[in-house]
Amino acid sequence: MRSSHTWVCVADGARARVYRCDGPQRDLEPVLGMGVPATGPACTGRIAGQLDRAATERRFDHLVLVGPRAVLAELETTMAANTRQMVVGELDRDLSRASPRELTAHLCELLPH
């Protein structure tokens, strides 16, 4: 049986990064090939599409969204329904420049224990 995978999407509207957390007391690791560099307003649509494909491929079981309220709202309306159902938590805060260690500290209540 495969272990549960939680992904964390950190977006600020201009860029997005995606991390994987594979269990309690584990560090966040970047998900290779996921995320959007600083590209402007189309960021949320592009990241939603990436998350939708990854959800369809069952690459993660749970999803945590991090970003300003407007970005979170846009992601929620752009993502497919099955991807939205995988969202287990949200943090309304711009942490786009935070390191994986800093993110873990901010997300301790939302990540698997």
Side-chain angles (χ1 to χ4, degrees):
M1 181 176 180
R2 124 178 140 81
S3 62
S4 176
H5 297 288
T6 299
W7 279 16
V8 177
C9 176
V10 182
D12 68 359
R15 72 185 65 81
R17 295 179 295 159
V18 179
Y19 298 94
R20 178 180 70 228
C21 179
D22 290 334
Q25 308 302 318
R26 303 291 292 270
D27 290 334
L28 292 177
E29 298 177 17
V31 176
L32 299 178
M34 293 293 297
V36 178
T39 58
C43 174
T44 51
R46 290 178 60 201
I47 194 64
Q50 289 180 0
L51 292 171
D52 289 342
R53 282 187 295 282
T56 299
E57 295 168 0
R58 302 193 49 82
R59 294 181 59 196
F60 62 90
D61 302 297
H62 309 289
L63 180 61
V64 175
L65 301 175
V66 180
R69 170 65 13 224
V71 172
L72 296 177
E74 190 172 339
L75 276 172
E76 290 171 0
T77 59
T78 308
M79 287 188 302
N82 66 315
T83 307
R84 281 194 308 273
Q85 291 176 348
M86 299 171 115
V87 175
V88 295
E90 294 182 354
L91 180 60
D92 176 5
R93 192 157 178 200
D94 184 356
L95 296 175
S96 59
R97 299 194 189 282
S99 70
R101 178 166 284 185
E102 292 168 330
L103 285 170
T104 301
H106 287 285
L107 298 171
C108 62
E109 297 297 319
L110 298 175
L111 294 175
H113 298 291

